[in-house]
Amino acid sequence: MTLEDFTEFTGDDDAEAAGDTGATGDAGAIDGSADGGSVVESDGDDSTADRDGDRNSNSDRDADEFAAYDVEPAGEDAGLGVVSVSQGLRVAEEADETAVKAFVTTGNREAVRIGKYLVVPYPDGERLFCRITALEYAQEFQSDDATEIHARRQMRRDDFTERDYKFMAELDPMSVVYDDADGMSRRMTDRVPKPGAVVEEAADDAEIKTGLKIPEEGVFLGHLSVGGETVRTAATPPTVDYRIKDDYGDGDPLAFRHTLVAGGTGSGKTHASKNVLRQYLDADRTYPMDDGREARMAVVQFDPQDEYAQMHDDNPEMDDGFARKLDREGIAHGGHDDTVALVPESDGATYPGEGHRAERMEFTIPFSMVNEYDMPWLIAGSGLNDNQYSGLLTLLNRFFGDYGSSGTYRQFLSYLDDPALKEELDESGRVHEATFDAVKRRVRGVPGGVFDGDATPITELDHTLVRPGGLSVVPTYHLPSSRQKEIVVLAVSTMLVGDKLSNDPRSDRVKETPLLIGMDEAHNFLADADNVQARKVVDTFTEAAKQGRKERLGLFLITQDPQDVAESVFKQVNTKVVLNLGDEDAIKSVNIPSNLAGKVPYMEKGQMVVYSPDNSEPVELIGLPTCVTRHGD
């Protein structure tokens, strides 16, 4: 037999091919079964029908009865499907050894999505709370649907007979939920569900929160979602609110274990941050102090774009209906009257502040802070090596020893111009003349007007800067250089941290008030670097993060470049709120579970994932569509 003995197959030949030989007839019968069990008729040849009739000779029904399954119409199923054992049913201590799958009935398949939360009842009333991690079609019949005949016929069809295939959902058991005297509780998964148990979509608000370990009370972040769609329940309201634990009932409030908000430009991170900060300023939110008092939180927010002082004003875009909805859910909203814009003074820089009606007050950075709060790095900038930094310390100690706390930056510059001082320190071996000159150049590089201006020193405004229940915003966008912005932010924040951690604080107000320090563009101030100045800054804030729980000090870091935040600070952050990030390194750095990390580049504005291990399971949320305070132009 040669190649010419074979004829070319064409699409018009399929009917003839189906009834030609025994082998081709089998292919036709197989293809027919994949189309729903119906028999393929041949043109002018009854052999195919005869063979199919022979195949079904063990049944009391004739071939026409196998044209469709005897199933309930779509939408009449009691649940989504049932637990299946066809591919194994196993619950193990190791997650990768667990195998739980459910068969999803035809009428429910369009409603099933990866990430959806489900419950599977046990016979005694307990429920397995789980989520869908994978979906797959599997062959219902022993047929080969990767053939030319099958493909051509499928391409001519206008519909898809879904019941010809099994639709399987792979489930990740998250917890066992059960009723007790306190209402509802959860424990780790320690039981295997029964084969054939009905799988239902989780639709009870309390059950979902219990299954995911979401607190009933706390600081509102957003509403639970899956794949960008809000989870709906049978409750009123139908959404599931996600809250961060904010009391001492079970550990420390998570505000004092620090929060990171990461998101790219246009992701909605400022909108989301305003909504969260507004909750901390709610009049009903207080924290117990060591002396028995209940004190409200003070928030100090460093603002590079002059957006946060808008929190003083109501949002004109919020209608009454949305406001009533927020009231029903216990979400604080409306402008915060106790908002003050503390504006750093700088030569030749004017702060317009046109986007808000908050009170404004100017301040200056006194040079004495360098000594009082041990911040020599404040005037060093970057680039000093260890020897030069040591020389700077020697010069500052000597200067403040001579001038006291009244010494100014201009006086320090004049002090360094004294050739006798340079010669003395060089001859004594304390500061080499080359080191002296390097330090002098660096100190003179500080932008003019940063220190000792005409405004009130920030050290005298502690009662304005930190007010229980008050929001203090420190705008820096009007400052002409990044170095000036850096000096202002680090000076004020380090002053706050210093008084919080000190056993002998200069400000009792700072020490005795719960405090949240919000730092936008945190990567600009808390980055890892090789120079000694950066290490000193990072060490200060690392210690602040470690001691925050004890001192009621929280860091609220906002950034679009989380990979640039120093790791020692990053490791102390418990709650990570991640919005859309397009940079792969940024996504890796936030260290969230892989199933959520894969969603981050595709999230729309306002969508977020929250990873807060001491609060709940990792979840996806949708933030409020309208900011609770004024936002934008």
Side-chain angles (χ1 to χ4, degrees), residues 75 79-80 104-118 132 135 162 167 201 226 229:
L80 293 178
V104 181
T105 57
T106 306
N108 292 297
R109 295 176 182 180
E110 288 300 316
V112 175
R113 297 287 186 275
I114 289 179
K116 189 175 283 287
Y117 300 109
L118 308 176
I132 299 174
L135 296 169
E162 187 143 12
F167 191 70
E201 184 174 350
V226 172
E229 296 183 3

Side-chain angles (χ1 to χ4, degrees), residues 10 23 39 82 109 113 129 189 194 205 218 235 313 339 353 365 388-389 395 411 414 417 436 489 492-493 608 611:
T10 66
V39 177
V82 295
R109 295 176 182 180
R113 297 287 186 275
F129 186 87
T189 305
K194 301 299 182 184
D205 177 90
D313 305 336
T339 299
I365 304 294
Q388 292 166 348
Y389 192 78
L395 290 168
Q411 289 172 329
S414 298
D417 285 337
F436 188 101
V489 172
V492 179
S493 59
M608 64 190 83
Y611 183 45

Side-chain angles (χ1 to χ4, degrees), residues 286-313:
T286 60
Y287 301 87
M289 306 301 290
D290 292 337
D291 58 7
R293 292 178 300 117
E294 288 284 334
R296 293 178 63 188
M297 180 84 82
V299 177
V300 177
Q301 175 68 38
F302 295 96
D303 184 2
Q305 300 298 329
D306 198 31
E307 297 175 294
Y308 290 90
Q310 292 180 333
M311 292 178 64
H312 173 275
D313 305 336

Side-chain angles (χ1 to χ4, degrees), residues 498-572:
D499 279 334
K500 265 296 184 186
L501 302 186
S502 175
N503 292 324
D504 184 24
R506 289 170 175 78
S507 171
D508 291 335
R509 165 60 70 87
V510 176
K511 181 71 173 181
E512 297 171 358
T513 305
L515 177 61
L516 192 66
I517 299 178
M519 188 177 290
D520 207 338
E521 297 186 359
H523 56 279
N524 288 334
F525 311 106
L526 302 178
D528 267 326
D530 295 331
N531 61 74
V532 64
Q533 301 90 295
R535 291 199 299 271
K536 294 292 185 181
V537 172
V538 168
D539 287 347
T540 297
F541 281 86
T542 300
E543 186 64 22
K546 289 179 178 179
Q547 299 296 325
R549 285 188 283 183
K550 182 178 68 174
E551 301 296 343
R552 295 172 180 84
L553 168 65
L555 301 180
F556 193 89
L557 308 179
I558 308 163
T559 179
Q560 60 184 355
D561 297 314
Q563 73 275 17
D564 292 337
V565 176
E567 183 179 0
S568 59
V569 176
F570 204 104
K571 288 194 300 186
Q572 303 301 319

Side-chain angles (χ1 to χ4, degrees), residues 379-426:
I379 60 170
S382 60
L384 292 185
N385 58 36
D386 288 344
N387 285 336
Q388 292 166 348
Y389 192 78
S390 177
L392 174 63
L393 291 178
T394 299
L395 290 168
L396 285 170
N397 288 336
R398 179 146 179 172
F399 170 76
F400 284 111
D402 293 342
Y403 284 81
S405 60
S406 61
T408 67
Y409 173 67
R410 290 185 180 278
Q411 289 172 329
F412 185 56
L413 293 180
S414 298
Y415 190 73
L416 296 180
D417 285 337
D418 183 359
L421 174 65
K422 176 180 176 180
E423 183 179 355
E424 176 195 341
L425 293 175
D426 182 48

Side-chain angles (χ1 to χ4, degrees), residues 10-30:
T10 66
D12 295 334
D13 297 332
D14 57 354
E16 181 179 349
D20 190 6
T21 66
T24 355
D26 289 342
I30 290 172

Side-chain angles (χ1 to χ4, degrees), residues 72-73 75-82 105 108 198-201:
E72 296 180 5
E76 294 186 10
D77 301 322
L80 293 178
V82 295
T105 57
N108 292 297
V198 175
V199 177
E200 300 176 310
E201 184 174 350

